[in-house]
Amino acid sequence: MGDSAFVSGSNNIETVFIFRRVEGMWVHSQNLTTANGGDSFGARIAVDDDILVVGAHADDRFGHLTGAIYVYTRTEGVWGQPQKLTASDASSFKKFGWSVSVSGDTIIVGGELLSTTPYIFTRMGANWRESQKLTVDNNKFGESVAIDGDVAIASRDLSSGKLFVFKRVGDIWQHTQWLPSPAADGPV
């Protein structure tokens, strides 16, 4: 386990509480919030080293429930001012930020149920930019996402039985296969 722990509340709390381990004891060190309120800030979080991604899938900046994510960078032990990111084609009910994952300089973001497909963001210097929208034919997926290095997986809701696997080749993410979801067969 590292020296930081992150706790996010339910949709009503909308705060990410950060704890640090100091001399073997956990101490509260910082709270992260957004001024918006009511946007489900913190319902989903992902951390990789000094990058923290916080989902806010009910953000209404571009229409009802369009969603957003906030990307924080830790400098000298403090999580600084976030960069707020939205989908390039933001529209109502996408719930962008419903699922988030980060690996190094790459973030994958999904939405709820069949409302969207996942988006890839990459860090260029100090800024993050949308680099690709992942698509497979006309499928809608991304309720759950994960990324590790050059491999990303996104699901249609797990009960449907499809996990979409992508591999980064150069700067492009390519769909390489789909896997049946273990959840589609019932409990293991």
Side-chain angles (χ1 to χ4, degrees):
M1 180 182 282
D3 289 327
S4 296
F6 305 84
V7 179
S8 61
S10 68
N11 292 346
N12 297 326
I13 301 293
E14 298 192 353
T15 300
V16 176
F17 303 96
I18 302 173
F19 297 85
R20 289 183 319 133
R21 188 167 39 193
V22 178
E23 297 178 6
M25 301 293 293
W26 288 100
V27 295
H28 177 251
S29 64
Q30 192 173 352
N31 289 344
L32 302 177
T33 61
T34 178
N36 299 349
D39 60 5
S40 297
F41 177 86
R44 305 291 189 272
I45 61 173
V47 181
D48 186 25
D49 197 26
D50 289 330
I51 303 297
L52 170 65
V53 180
V54 180
H57 65 267
D59 184 271
D60 289 334
R61 181 176 177 192
F62 295 107
H64 188 63
L65 300 175
T66 54
I69 62 169
Y70 293 81
V71 183
Y72 294 85
T73 303
R74 180 172 46 192
T75 305
E76 296 180 16
V78 177
W79 294 93
Q81 199 62 17
Q83 183 177 355
K84 182 178 181 180
L85 304 174
T86 58
S88 58
D89 59 351
S91 62
S92 294
F93 300 103
K94 277 193 181 238
K95 294 190 179 180
F96 177 87
W98 180 264
S99 56
V100 295
S101 185
V102 58
S103 179
D105 292 334
T106 308
I107 298 170
I108 185 171
V109 184
E112 183 185 27
L113 296 173
L114 303 179
S115 60
T116 189
T117 60
Y119 297 79
I120 298 286
F121 287 81
T122 53
R123 183 167 44 180
M124 304 296 287
N127 295 311
W128 294 85
R129 67 171 178 81
E130 183 182 319
S131 57
Q132 189 174 341
K133 181 177 178 180
L134 302 181
T135 58
V136 178
D137 300 322
N138 290 321
N139 286 290
K140 300 290 185 188
F141 58 97
E143 183 174 308
S144 181
V145 296
I147 189 167
D148 186 15
D150 292 330
V151 176
I153 298 176
S155 74
R156 189 176 295 181
D157 76 277
L158 289 176
S159 65
S160 74
K162 279 199 176 179
L163 302 173
F164 297 87
V165 181
F166 293 84
K167 181 161 179 51
R168 180 173 25 208
V169 179
D171 291 336
I172 304 297
W173 288 87
Q174 298 175 354
H175 177 246
T176 57
Q177 73 181 96
W178 73 270
L179 300 170
S181 168
D185 293 330
V188 177

